[in-house]
Amino acid sequence: MSTPKTQSEWKLTELAEAVGVSPRTVRYYVQRGLLPAPPFRGPDTVYGEEHLVRLKAIRVLQARFLPLDAIQAELQRLSLDELRQLADSDATPTPPVHAQPLPGPAPVAPQHAPRRPATGLNRYERWELLPGLELHVSEAADTKTRALAERVRALIAEFQEREKP
């Protein structure tokens, strides 16, 4: 008889169920580069602890309303131990701030979405350019990137002005 040990390998459905996502989501994250590809293919494919930790960390970052590109950057930047800490942190969603659309040609000030402090994580400003169109700008963005973001807002404001009857 073998003694029970902590699980260190999961089949796709077991992993997805343990984190609360669909198997299709896990496959998408692998395809997109958020998760490393599992070492085996076919019916013998297994996922390890790193996959579980990364999936849990993704869930925490999604609850903080980070877009997938920002999540991917964080996953690449953090060590496995830092990912474990993140995965074990509070994943309670923080309600987003709903920014107002641009009133005519004048741009509005960026709206800051409230975020819980997290060590080492980039924060993003959420700018609603038009209903259904948002721009997320890192608070750590350099001057050139911020100028580009401001130019995008100005172009949209110009477009709105030209489209007025």
Side-chain angles (χ1 to χ4, degrees):
M1 247 183 147
S2 64
T3 58
K5 63 175 189 168
T6 305
Q7 186 171 356
S8 62
E9 292 183 339
W10 295 264
K11 295 286 188 181
L12 176 61
T13 53
E14 295 170 333
L15 179 69
E17 194 173 285
V19 180
V21 298
S22 72
R24 185 176 183 178
T25 297
V26 174
R27 283 191 213 99
Y28 174 70
Y29 289 164
V30 168
Q31 176 191 5
R32 199 165 190 285
L34 294 165
L35 294 174
F40 301 106
R41 298 288 180 207
D44 294 328
T45 300
V46 291
Y47 295 80
E49 181 193 3
E50 182 181 357
H51 293 99
L52 180 72
V53 169
R54 284 178 169 273
L55 277 170
K56 288 181 177 181
I58 290 168
R59 300 282 292 184
V60 170
L61 294 171
Q62 285 176 324
R64 295 177 183 167
F65 298 99
L66 278 123
L68 284 180
D69 288 338
I71 290 172
Q72 185 170 15
E74 288 300 315
L75 293 176
Q76 290 172 349
R77 191 181 67 74
L78 298 174
S79 70
L80 187 56
D81 285 337
E82 291 170 320
L83 285 173
R84 279 189 188 99
Q85 288 177 335
L86 178 62
D88 293 337
S89 67
D90 185 15
T92 306
T94 306
V97 171
H98 295 287
Q100 297 298 316
L102 294 173
V108 294
Q111 299 293 317
H112 296 273
R115 305 233 191 270
R116 295 182 186 209
T119 55
L121 295 180
N122 286 331
R123 292 179 161 216
Y124 285 79
E125 297 172 16
R126 176 181 165 264
W127 300 354
E128 185 168 355
L129 303 175
L130 295 169
L133 178 62
E134 293 180 357
L135 178 62
H136 295 250
V137 181
S138 170
E139 289 179 352
D142 61 14
T143 306
K144 195 173 184 179
T145 302
R146 288 191 164 277
L148 178 60
E150 289 291 348
R151 183 65 185 136
V152 168
R153 287 199 325 179
L155 286 170
I156 289 175
E158 289 172 24
F159 175 77
Q160 280 185 313
E161 187 62 30
R162 278 184 280 161
E163 293 296 309
K164 283 186 179 178

